Structures are given as structure tokens and as C-alpha cells.
Amino acid sequence: MATRALPSILVVDDEPHSVAAMRMALEDDFVVLEASNAEEAWALMEEHWVQVVVSDQRMPGKSGIELLTEIRDRWPETVRIIVTGYTETNDMIDAINEAGIYQFITKPWHPEQLLMAIRNAARLFELARDHERMTLEMRYLGNTASAKLEDRRRLLQEGLGFDKVLRGPNSSLNAVIALARQYASFDVPVLITGEAGTGKTDLARAMHYGSLRSDRPFFELNCAGLTDEVLAAELFGIRRGAVSGVQSTKVGILQKADRGTVFLNGVDTLSPAMQIAMLRIVREGAFQPIGSHEQMTSGARLIAGAHRDLRDAVADGKFRGDLFYALSVTELNMPPLRGRPGDIARLAERFLHDAAEEHGKPVRGLSDAALEFLENYDWPGNLPELRNEVLRMLIIAQDVTLGPELISRHILQAEPGDAGSDRRAMDLGTADGTLKDRVEMMEMRILRETMTRLKWNKSRAASELGLSRVGLRAKLDRYGIEPSATFAEED
């Protein structure tokens, strides 16, 4: 029978034998994390979702009370217990009370005494979390706590929600966003399909922050290229001693994201064995950590991403039909960038200003001529390719306004045409037409690219191309190639 994921307990003590004794007393009921000082404890708190911290009082560096006081300020919901082997003064007892410590245990302690105290503390943590969840669900009742929570949700949605997915007023992405907004508030699996680089992760993150789970964690994992062993370790976790070289328990994403959202991209690459494991997760929320004989369950919401249409993979026998239908209760398709020509200018400007801020280089924007070339290209690499091109332009730019002469040659040579058509120069070898037609098409693209890159300096262009000025002028007239308003013709 499936059980809930084990609570995580952090034990802090500079004496290894004390840590080992606590671990033996607790590891059957809890995931036990270990630290020998305050610094190590803080690092583990940053990485894991810890319900209870048990700390020795006297340690090198910060004392237990100092550590637990700092943990209270950062993670107030974590229950804190102090262990001491000394007769404490009234001042010490007052310090314990002021630190908000749930309980203090004196040495030597009995294993049953310690286990009972930790169980009670974990139960207290769960009761506090349940109260928080109920407060969240009652946020519309108008009390002060609900109003504060709604403000936090609004800030998250503005910073990481649907508004972050850039698109124009007539974008083909708008219909996808409208459906995603509806799906976000329903706790059902979602399948997001689309080419690599189309923004599936951004959409999944927006759905998380547009849902009632927005105050819980969001995790993203790309399955493509991962072996079954690595993928299982990341998703399910590893029990201590189950794998050579792993000296402590590794908590998997499904346990970390309990009540949150997990986005698994590249599910179309899953092996048959991982597809079976994934089916159990989708249907029951059940999984089994590596090295554990106990089955756990996760309350995380699952959103899956695939780089191709899984219906074809099901038809070819490469993907389980039952898993496909379990994942695709709701399905969204992200259009490629070539299908969003009206969004390219907006995206390019955002990428440019983000890169300029990151690298500390002043910039005003992209010229109209540069945007025209960018909009006329198919972007087979989608958003990452556009982001990289804009960054490259920024790096080599000498002016605050970036012109088309900075654009890569293969983009400048792309033939202008309707959105979605194949205009890449490298595909000319497979184009239709006579040899003369294909040669002329290549010649026209090279002329346009050269004139743009050299800012319409005809003397330099003629020299580079091995033409006379008269011959260059004749070819420009023949193909109807003229300078944009950005450039004035130069001799």
C-alpha cells in the first residue's frame, strides 16, 4: 500500500557518534540529513524541504540556539529542537524560549524519547502546513491573511506567469495562452508539445504560478539524454547506501515538489521501463526511491513536454498508448518561431535589453532594417537561436542602435517571403528550378548580404566580390536590390 513521502529531518552535531546514534533511531521513520556545523546545516536547508531541525547546543562556531534562531527567521514553519548535555541556567532557558524552540532534550537521551519528540514535531509541522493550505483555499473570504496571500500570488504571476510569455496582440500563441490559463487551475496532467526551443518550460512555469499551487515549488527536468539510472535518481531519490559513492539520502524531485508542480520535458525520449514508472506516477502518484523497499506517493502536479507529436510515436509502437492518454488529459501545442513572425521584433528587443543589462553594455535598440531581416528568417533553432543571435550582435556592436550589418551572413542571405516558408540559403541545393535559376537566387542573396554587411559601400563591395563598380551596379539593378532607409549609398 502506498504511503506518503517520509518527512525530512536535519540533525546537526559536531560529534559523529551522536549523529550516527540519532540516524539509527530515526531513519526508519524519516529521511535523515546530517550536518556537523551551522554552515553545513544552512546549505542543506537551502537545498531541501526540512520539516524538523535537531541541533546540538555546543558546537564550534555558531551555537545551536544561534543557528535555530536564524533558521526561525528564514524558515519559520520548520520545527526546531535543541539537544544539550549540560545543566542549563535560567538565562539559557530564557534564550531557548526567545528563539522559539519547540523542545529541548537533555543528554543522555533514550532512542524512544528522541523518536517520540521528533514524531510530535513532524506532526506539528504537518498541522501547520494543513492550516496554511486551508487559509489559501479560503483566500476569497476577505480576511487579512488571505489578502496578503493574494498579493503574493499576484506578484508571482506578474513576474513568472503568463505575462512573461512575450507575444504580440495578434500572435498565434494567444490561443494557446488562453487555453493554458483555463487549464492552470485544474489539477489534471497537461501535455505540452512543440519543437525544441519554443518555450514549453516558460508555459509550464506560467501555469504553475497561475494555479493554486503557486506558493509551492516548481521543478523542471529535461529527460532527453539522461540514462534511466540518472533519471530515476533525480525523480525518485536514493536511500542512503543504495548506490556506491552516495553516503547520504538523496531526496528526489517528486518528494521535494510535494503539492507543487513538476515539469518533465522530453518525455518522448523515455525508455519502455521509464514509461511504465511514469504511468504509475501519473495514475497513482506512486514511486519507489532507489534502494528502498517502501512505496511513496507524491502530491505534485505533473506537466509533461514532448518535442514531437506523441500520436505518431504511439502508432509506431515507440510510446505507450496508455501513458499518452494519461498525460494528455489536456494538451497544448507551442507554435514554432517561424509561425510567429509578428512576435519576433518584440522578442528580439526584450532579449537585447536583457543581455545589455546582464553584460553592462548601453544599448538603445535594433534598427528597423535589422528587425526586418530578423523577421524574414525562419529560425529553425527557435527562441534560443534568436537569443544567441541578438547577444552576438550586442557583443560586436559599436553603436547604441544595432543595424543589419551585425547580423550573421546566413540570416542576411535568407530570401524574404511568407512566414513559415523555407528560406534558408543552405537549402538551395534542394530547391526547384533550373541551374541558372538556382545560381541567380544564390547570387541575389550574396549581393544583399554583402551590401548590408558593408553598409552599402559599393567600392568595398565591388572589391570583395571581384566586380567592377559598373558590374556591381548592373547586378543590383537586375535583382532590384536597394538600400534601406538606414543606409545611404557610399562610393
Side-chain angles (χ1 to χ4, degrees):
M1 182 178 178
T3 60
R4 297 292 294 176
L6 293 179
S8 294
I9 307 300
L10 174 58
V11 173
V12 190
D13 198 318
D14 62 316
E15 297 180 8
H17 70 275
S18 295
V19 174
M22 288 188 186
R23 183 177 66 246
M24 291 180 62
L26 301 174
E27 62 183 356
D28 289 338
D29 294 85
F30 304 98
V31 174
V32 181
L33 306 173
E34 303 169 5
S36 61
N37 53 52
E39 183 177 357
E40 291 180 6
W42 192 265
L44 288 171
M45 289 293 297
E46 293 275 9
E47 184 179 356
H48 300 277
W49 184 36
V50 177
Q51 285 93 325
V52 182
V53 179
V54 186
S55 176
D56 188 32
Q57 163 58 9
R58 297 178 182 264
M59 299 183 295
K62 291 181 180 178
S63 68
I65 288 181
E66 290 172 333
L67 169 64
L68 295 182
T69 301
E70 293 178 355
I71 289 177
R72 177 200 62 187
D73 295 337
R74 177 71 180 274
W75 296 281
E77 72 276 13
T78 301
V79 182
R80 301 165 298 281
I81 296 176
I82 196 81
V83 178
T84 178
Y86 299 85
T87 302
E88 305 298 351
T89 65
N90 290 333
D91 290 340
M92 175 62 73
I93 294 173
D94 290 340
I96 290 173
N97 292 332
E98 290 175 5
I101 292 172
Y102 168 68
Q103 187 175 354
F104 70 92
I105 300 174
T106 57
K107 297 180 181 179
W109 45 263
H110 190 277
E112 286 298 327
Q113 173 200 13
L114 178 68
L115 181 59
M116 182 60 67
I118 303 303
R119 282 176 176 170
N120 290 338
R123 180 57 180 161
L124 177 63
F125 179 92
E126 285 300 321
L127 289 173
R129 299 299 295 178
D130 288 343
H131 179 267
E132 180 184 350
R133 178 178 57 81
M134 293 174 64
T135 301
L136 174 63
E137 293 172 348
M138 298 173 64
R139 67 193 186 285
Y140 294 113
L141 297 181
N143 57 49
T144 303
S146 296
K148 289 182 179 179
L149 184 59
E150 190 63 28
D151 288 342
R152 181 186 176 193
R153 185 185 303 281
R154 177 180 52 80
L155 292 174
L156 286 171
Q157 289 174 339
E158 290 175 356
L160 298 169
F162 292 106
D163 292 339
K164 189 182 178 183
V165 184
L166 289 180
R167 71 268 186 202
N170 299 315
S171 173
S172 59
L173 193 57
N174 288 339
V176 179
I177 297 296
L179 282 175
R181 287 183 185 274
Q182 290 183 288
Y183 296 158
S185 58
F186 290 88
D187 274 339
V188 295
V190 178
L191 175 63
I192 306 176
T193 59
E195 297 176 8
T198 50
K200 295 189 289 293
T201 301
D202 287 342
L203 184 63
R205 184 180 290 106
M207 293 184 70
H208 169 73
Y209 286 108
S211 73
L212 295 177
R213 298 172 179 260
S214 62
D215 64 325
R216 302 299 305 142
F218 172 86
F219 288 91
E220 183 261 338
L221 180 65
N222 195 333
C223 305
L226 298 182
T227 64
D228 284 3
E229 293 76 14
V230 173
L231 184 56
E234 291 295 324
L235 280 176
F236 311 140
I238 306 174
R239 292 306 298 268
R240 181 178 179 274
V243 177
S244 176
V246 178
Q247 301 302 321
S248 62
T249 297
K250 175 182 174 63
V251 180
I253 286 176
L254 288 172
Q255 184 174 344
K256 290 180 182 179
D258 194 32
R259 298 184 189 168
T261 303
V262 174
F263 175 55
L264 294 180
N265 205 357
V267 296
D268 49 308
T269 66
L270 292 176
S271 69
M274 288 306 298
Q275 289 181 37
I276 294 175
M278 192 62 61
L279 184 61
R280 292 185 64 212
I281 296 171
V282 178
R283 285 180 171 175
E284 308 167 22
F287 65 97
Q288 191 168 321
I290 298 174
S292 172
H293 300 293
E294 186 176 23
Q295 182 173 287
M296 298 183 177
T297 60
S298 172
R301 181 189 190 179
L302 186 65
I303 300 179
H307 301 323
R308 60 175 177 147
D309 191 339
L310 289 182
R311 291 177 178 82
D312 295 337
V314 171
D316 295 339
K318 297 179 179 179
F319 199 86
R320 295 179 63 96
D322 49 4
L323 177 57
F324 166 69
Y325 291 113
L327 290 173
S328 61
V329 175
T330 52
E331 188 172 355
L332 300 167
N333 181 259
M334 293 293 287
L337 195 51
R338 62 180 173 275
R340 302 168 52 190
D343 297 347
I344 291 176
R346 186 185 298 259
L347 288 166
E349 291 284 1
R350 169 62 65 84
F351 293 158
L352 175 62
H353 288 287
D354 287 348
E357 181 178 354
E358 179 181 354
H359 296 281
K361 187 171 183 178
V363 70
R364 183 177 300 151
L366 294 155
S367 70
D368 290 341
L371 290 173
E372 182 178 353
F373 276 104
L374 296 179
E375 290 174 335
N376 282 333
Y377 181 60
D378 275 340
W379 301 106
N382 291 301
L383 296 173
E385 185 183 8
L386 176 60
R387 184 182 289 107
N388 291 344
E389 179 64 24
V390 170
L391 175 58
R392 193 194 65 82
M393 293 172 66
L394 173 69
I395 291 172
I396 63 177
Q398 301 297 318
D399 196 355
V400 291
T401 299
L402 280 59
E405 71 280 1
L406 303 172
I407 298 175
S408 298
R409 288 190 175 190
H410 68 280
I411 297 176
L412 292 176
Q413 290 180 10
E415 175 68 14
D418 295 332
S421 61
D422 191 353
R423 301 185 300 271
R424 287 169 286 174
M426 63 207 52
D427 292 332
L428 281 175
T430 60
D432 295 331
T434 65
L435 176 61
K436 181 175 181 293
D437 292 338
R438 299 184 203 182
V439 171
E440 287 181 346
M441 185 180 298
M442 176 64 79
E443 184 177 59
M444 178 178 64
R445 297 183 183 184
I446 292 174
L447 284 168
R448 181 186 295 110
E449 178 270 323
T450 303
M451 297 306 296
T452 301
R453 177 167 45 84
L454 298 179
K455 299 184 179 181
W456 276 81
N457 186 313
K458 287 185 288 187
S459 296
R460 291 179 60 193
S463 175
E464 180 178 311
L465 297 171
L467 298 171
S468 66
R469 283 178 48 79
V470 174
L472 176 62
R473 180 74 263 175
K475 289 183 179 293
L476 294 175
D477 290 341
R478 176 183 178 185
Y479 294 121
I481 301 174
E482 297 179 350
S484 67
T486 305
F487 301 120
E489 295 190 46
E490 299 181 18
D491 292 333

